[in-house]
Amino acid sequence: MKKIIYFAVAAMMFSSCNDFLDSESYTQKNTGNYPLTAEDAEQVITGIYNNLNIVNANPQYSFFYYSELASDDRLGGGGFNDQLMQAEDLMLNTGSTMYTQFYQDRYKGVFRANMAIETLGNCKGVTEETLNQYKGEAYFLRAYYYYELASMFGNIPCPVSSVADPTLPQISGEPLWGQILQDLMAAIKLMPAKAQMGTGHVDKYCAQALLGRAYLFYSGFYNDETVTCPDGTEITKQNVIDEINDCVANSGYSLVPNYYNLWAYTNRCTVNDELSAYKGKGLVWVENDYGTNPEAMFMVKYNTQPSWSTTIGYVNGYALHFGVRGGQDYAKTFPFGQGWGAGPVAPNLYSDWNASEPNDPRRDASIQKVNDLPGYSYGAGGWNDFAQETDYLQKKIMPVVARKDDGTSFWASFSNAMDPNLTWSSGNEDNFQLNSINDMVLIRFAEVLLMQSELTGDATGMNKVRARAGLPAVAYSVEALRNERRWELAFEGVRWNDLRRYGDDYAKTALDKQNNVNIYLSGTPGKNNVSSINGGYGSRYTQTKGFAPLPTDQISLSAQAGEQYKFKQNEGWGTTDSEYGGWPR
């Protein structure tokens, strides 16, 4: 979303009219004087997108981060003091307000979307097509924010008005997911049939893709194929198939020919370095020189103007968290840079993949064996405090380094090598905490093809994805489809909800494969024996169904409207045995 989310805006910070003077405020924006113009309309939409950056400022509390660490494809990792990372992996709590920041931030995005939906019709000098496009974006973003909130917390209030109402009840299941799907259908109908690739705006095809993702989760998790929306309309499986088919046939999005080229470590300044395992293989990152990726349907772009106090969300905080732990020399971990070591790859993913599809090039495009790095040190290098370290790193969301002109030292971010004219905020041109500006792709066209196969039971879409990887076509089966999603979309935030919608037994069995896998504790080989901590992954899943705890401060706030409005805590939380006490040493 290059254009939209680069701006720090206060466009949606409305204030009420001055009742005492009964006069128009000329210094503050309110619903009486804003939005009225074409410029106002764009600011309003920008304000909703900006919520993506707001959440990115604290990635460790986000649904994406939680869904990655809680899944069976990653462990928690980090240092022994990084209890939040390990708690998320173990589906345990640490602190009474563990997810307050994310909860509050996403509801700010919902409020901004609600305000836009209510007020964009006041704008003059905007064509009907543009206004419909903007309204559709607001519906899409509200649906996306609710998708994350509903997936994470399950039972939440669902305001669709900008008027605050503390008496709104918690809702779950069909009423909540029906609202999400209703919003996406509204977005599809409003936005013109025109791809917005490279403009910084989502389009109707992005809404169709999210409709498929949301429908598949709801229908699987809640075992309900026909959804009655709040407005009384019904959304059936065939409705969703029709939208996905339209997206495949008419969107203009396409698969990047080489899977490796989707990821930033194949940028032109890194891939041809003598230390690169891919030197001379003709790989070129599809976002090279910040061009348009024809496969990325919904993505977050970052820029060079982060500030710790105001705009820290302008850099890819996920890459920092998932980076190589220990402050190790870049020459020893090339092409990957430093970070906090969250989310090391679970060895069971590598072994499952190798057993099922041993010749799949996507495995090595997605997973880095640390023994194949130039000089990686176990135990977090000089820090010597790595919990749940494994032999594997993921490659998709990582800091990527490149060599400087002196030929010996390295930039913390490849972007400086690609564009020496970049201007960084506060002289932070070589700060490993502030330099990762490689994209976060949230929805790819490959997922649309896989959803098409899953919804129709036809292997055509799935085999297009396999063909891109150079793999032979296969007949459709549920197992083949599930494997294909796991391999193709690894580390992209979808595996967790896939596990949950496949059924409790499937999720429990898959999650328990992480128990007793090989890990390292401060560099010493050991086992990931979690049964002594929480009874095992499957046990915690059975207790929680994968939902995170509602922040206790939000439960307390709900009670202020009257005890009858007090929110109920999710099952499996609020007791001493749901608290994480730290990794045993």
Side-chain angles (χ1 to χ4, degrees):
M1 309 307 300
K2 183 182 293 185
K3 176 181 176 185
I4 291 295
I5 66 169
Y6 272 16
F7 307 111
V9 297
M12 300 300 290
M13 299 303 179
F14 296 97
S15 63
S16 61
C17 294
N18 189 326
D19 293 332
F20 180 74
L21 294 176
D22 192 28
S23 62
E24 176 72 17
S25 170
Y26 292 98
T27 60
Q28 294 181 311
K29 296 185 185 300
N30 57 64
T31 53
N33 65 19
Y34 185 89
L36 297 177
T37 67
E39 182 180 3
D40 291 347
E42 186 168 3
Q43 286 179 346
V44 166
I45 295 301
T46 301
I48 314 173
Y49 280 106
N50 184 249
N51 191 257
L52 296 168
N53 281 111
I54 290 172
V55 167
N56 185 77
N58 295 283
Q60 68 274 24
Y61 305 123
S62 70
F63 173 69
F64 184 95
Y65 195 97
Y66 169 69
S67 67
E68 279 292 293
L69 270 57
S71 81
D72 59 332
D73 289 349
R74 293 198 200 225
L75 303 182
F80 290 106
N81 290 328
D82 295 318
Q83 292 192 8
L84 183 141
M85 298 174 186
Q86 295 137 38
E88 291 184 314
D89 170 50
L90 300 167
M91 286 171 279
L92 291 171
N93 188 56
T94 177
S96 62
T97 57
M98 186 174 177
Y99 297 114
T100 295
Q101 189 71 57
F102 174 72
Y103 186 96
Q104 292 177 335
D105 286 345
R106 273 295 182 250
Y107 271 110
K108 290 176 184 176
V110 168
F111 168 78
R112 293 180 177 191
N114 290 346
M115 187 68 75
I117 291 166
E118 292 172 359
T119 62
L120 279 170
N122 299 332
C123 295
K124 308 299 181 184
V126 185
T127 66
E128 182 179 5
E129 181 178 292
T130 299
L131 201 58
N132 285 339
Q133 169 68 26
Y134 285 169
K135 287 181 180 178
E137 291 176 69
Y139 276 110
F140 171 90
L141 289 166
R142 184 169 75 180
Y144 182 78
Y145 298 155
Y146 271 136
Y147 172 86
E148 292 199 330
L149 287 165
S151 295
M152 191 160 185
F153 300 113
N155 195 18
I156 56 173
C158 184
V160 291
S161 167
S162 62
V163 178
D165 183 357
T167 68
L168 283 177
Q170 290 172 285
I171 61 173
S172 61
E174 187 173 50
L176 179 57
W177 287 88
Q179 182 64 55
I180 294 168
L181 297 175
Q182 179 180 303
D183 279 358
L184 290 169
M185 291 300 289
I188 291 166
K189 292 174 182 175
L190 280 165
M191 289 190 280
K194 180 167 61 178
Q196 297 291 329
M197 209 180 303
T199 68
H201 294 260
V202 295
D203 51 42
K204 70 170 288 184
Y205 306 111
C206 300
Q208 289 171 329
L210 186 56
L211 178 79
R213 183 189 286 185
Y215 175 83
L216 283 170
F217 177 76
Y218 171 79
S219 61
F221 188 83
Y222 292 98
N223 193 29
D224 181 11
E225 288 197 348
T226 300
V227 188
T228 301
C229 298
D231 65 2
T233 61
E234 288 188 342
I235 296 177
T236 66
K237 183 177 182 179
Q238 187 59 51
N239 295 145
V240 180
I241 290 172
D242 291 343
E243 298 300 339
I244 292 296
N245 284 343
D246 180 58
C247 183
V248 171
N250 300 311
S251 68
Y253 290 97
S254 61
L255 296 177
V256 169
N258 191 317
Y259 187 80
Y260 278 90
N261 288 341
L262 286 165
W263 317 113
Y265 64 85
T266 62
N267 75 81
R268 58 181 168 80
C269 294
T270 298
V271 74
N272 288 318
D273 192 281
E274 62 183 19
L275 290 175
S276 174
Y278 308 112
K279 180 177 173 61
K281 295 187 177 182
L283 299 179
V284 182
W285 183 40
V286 74
E287 284 293 301
N288 209 346
D289 295 322
Y290 309 105
T292 298
N293 178 341
E295 191 167 339
M297 302 183 71
F298 182 39
M299 62 196 293
V300 182
K301 281 186 172 289
Y302 302 96
N303 69 16
T304 61
Q305 301 303 307
S307 165
W308 286 112
S309 59
T310 56
T311 56
I312 188 60
Y314 282 7
V315 295
N316 191 336
Y318 296 93
L320 173 64
H321 274 255
F322 298 149
V324 181
R325 188 168 182 83
Q328 303 189 45
D329 191 307
Y330 293 142
K332 295 182 178 181
T333 64
F334 188 91
F336 304 112
Q338 298 174 14
W340 310 138
V345 175
N348 46 285
L349 169 61
Y350 194 89
S351 60
D352 285 353
W353 203 336
N354 196 48
S356 175
E357 198 86 64
N359 298 317
D360 190 344
R362 293 171 299 183
R363 184 192 61 227
D364 294 332
S366 304
I367 299 175
Q368 175 68 54
K369 292 181 180 179
V370 298
N371 285 326
D372 290 341
L373 293 172
Y376 180 88
S377 296
Y378 284 95
W383 296 5
N384 196 35
D385 69 338
F386 204 157
Q388 292 182 291
E389 182 178 16
T390 73
D391 290 319
Y392 308 101
L393 300 168
Q394 59 80 33
K395 296 182 177 183
K396 292 183 177 181
I397 308 172
M398 288 283 279
V400 177
V401 303
R403 202 178 294 266
K404 293 183 178 179
D405 289 341
D406 61 17
T408 56
S409 57
F410 297 86
W411 289 109
S413 171
F414 68 92
S415 53
N416 284 302
M418 289 179 66
D419 186 356
N421 297 317
L422 287 177
T423 302
W424 294 84
S425 63
S426 306
N428 289 316
E429 66 277 357
D430 201 18
N431 183 328
F432 80 95
Q433 297 184 72
L434 299 175
N435 286 167
S436 289
I437 58 173
N438 35 311
D439 311 332
M440 276 282 293
V441 178
L442 301 176
I443 302 177
R444 283 196 291 120
F445 184 65
E447 184 182 358
V448 177
L449 291 171
L450 294 175
M451 289 191 291
Q452 184 184 49
S453 280
E454 182 171 2
L455 287 161
T456 62
D458 183 291
T460 301
M462 178 172 65
N463 282 328
K464 289 178 182 177
V465 173
R466 288 179 60 81
R468 187 261 296 275
L471 296 170
V474 296
Y476 181 84
S477 71
V478 170
E479 181 182 8
L481 187 282
R482 290 176 176 178
N483 281 341
E484 202 63 34
R485 284 186 63 87
R486 191 181 184 193
W487 314 146
E488 174 70 25
L489 304 173
F491 317 121
E492 296 181 50
V494 300
R495 174 64 175 172
W496 179 233
N497 268 5
D498 279 355
L499 282 178
R500 299 167 73 196
R501 69 186 177 89
Y502 294 159
D504 290 355
D505 290 342
Y506 187 99
K508 184 179 184 300
T509 299
L511 289 165
D512 274 337
K513 284 188 176 183
Q514 299 169 98
N515 197 36
N516 287 321
V517 295
N518 293 328
I519 62 170
Y520 301 84
L521 304 172
S522 295
T524 301
K527 295 289 185 179
N528 191 50
N529 183 1
V530 301
S531 58
S532 62
I533 303 174
N534 67 344
Y537 294 99
S539 174
R540 280 301 291 165
Y541 183 81
T542 299
Q543 295 172 54
T544 65
K545 296 296 185 291
F547 291 118
L550 281 171
T552 56
D553 55 355
Q554 301 303 308
I555 296 175
S556 298
L557 283 171
S558 68
Q560 292 180 15
E563 193 64 23
Q564 68 269 36
Y565 302 116
K566 185 176 181 179
F567 292 169
K568 181 182 178 182
Q569 181 58 278
N570 288 327
E571 292 183 5
W573 301 100
T575 59
T576 55
D577 59 359
S578 66
E579 294 294 323
Y580 180 55
W583 195 267
R585 287 186 285 171

